[in-house]
Amino acid sequence: GQKRLSRPSSDETLHENAGGANVDNNDDTLPDVRTLQLDWEAERSVFDDDASFYVSIAQFKDILCPMTIQEIYMKARNPRRVFAGIVDQREVNPNVTENGIGYPNYKAPPIVFHTHCDGTCFPWYMMKSCGTSDFCPTDNIRVRHSWPKDGKGPTWGRYYAMLMYQGESYFMMIDSHSRFSPHWDMHCVLNLQLVPKTSKKAVLSHYPGAYQSPEQLLNHRFERGAMMMCHAHYTKNGIIRMNSRAFGMLGSPHLQPFSAGGFVVGDAKFVHEVPFDPYLFYVFDGEEILYSVRLWTHGFDMFTPMNNILFHNYGRHKAPRFWSIKGLNYVSQQQLGQARVKYFMQSMKKGTPPTRMVSDEWAKKHKVDREEKIYGLGKERSLEAYYKFAGVDPLYWNISFDFCRNLSLGRITPDKYHRRGHEVKK
């Protein structure tokens, strides 16, 4: 059966991922994805117009969020079947700011409360026509508001955004500073349909291609090969952090060992089986690798899509981040959140003899293991098998199997690549 999307047993609150991926997007030899898109236009008959999408967004004081919402509906093939859930973390500002985005002067809300979609999440100039239209995107938008000071990091926002899901066919999680390819909803479905039949459960995920200005969107510089999450490294704290690299167009979505916080989409069953964890307080590094492991151990394979379905602004250097407003007990709660990552990952101290960084006894004493049956690892594949699949040596903090290098040298064909993902299930 499906797992319930449960509330945490504590009384606390939310946030959004501020980006930070290591992205290499400078390969000028890659083919133009528009050729692929034209081929896909002939395959529209396989797209189910009754399929619905839920787009999960957690935003933290992000002035780009309204334009992201606008893009979702302007670029969708079937916008009437697209629903969005926004965790809106902003401060009261009665003024109208840039791009015509208004900030109504709300009275102080509780930590999290439901509200309507106004100019803070959708441009006012687009809402003016809603009175005479039979469809207005705001009809499909659900919002929860919270004060930034009450936030507790990325997964809190993802968790509360998840709770606004109402049974749509597909679940997609993105960051609040994204832009979209035309007919992105059709491309998601077609990519998922092209996943090899050997993968019974699958999601699409990667670090989206980079954009920093409207000019890049107009001259199609961003429409190059998709970024593949094919290698990673250990941080000094013993946590795996992923990197990515652009590849040319491939014949099908490509299997990879990692998923990203800024883009993941699949049949909505994945969020029932692997719900977002509300207890990773203030965690940035560690969120993505833990969710990757949870997906994989629950039997989900992760694939890079064939093309860029959306694009991410990685250049927001002066934008507010959740760590810029440190809430009550920030340091101690962040330490517990990081310990939770290391507990589930069974992270080892570097070197010999093998010693766990977070013991079972310590985790139980400090409640780092709470609700493990819901937010812990799955039973379909083991953690040891994941480390083997991803080429990770958890004792010496080495990641020896480089997916990027072996693919670029032609040592792994897509068929062998997919088989490799299934050889280590048991």
Side-chain angles (χ1 to χ4, degrees), residues 13-14 23 34 57 101 121 145 163 171 174 179 201 207 232 236 267 285 288 321 328-329 359 363 409 415-416:
T13 305
L14 42 133
V23 178
R34 284 172 289 180
I57 301 175
I101 303 168
C121 71
H145 181 87
L163 294 183
F171 188 105
I174 65 170
R179 296 293 181 268
K201 298 190 290 187
Y207 290 138
K236 64 180 181 180
D267 186 301
D285 287 337
E288 292 176 323
R321 304 295 201 268
L328 187 64
N329 300 321
S359 68
L409 294 176
D415 287 342
K416 290 180 181 178

Side-chain angles (χ1 to χ4, degrees), residues 16 18 60-62 316-325:
E16 181 268 329
F60 186 85
K61 302 178 68 174
D62 190 351
R316 300 164 55 252
H317 302 300
K318 296 183 180 180
R321 304 295 201 268
F322 72 87
W323 54 78
S324 64
I325 303 177

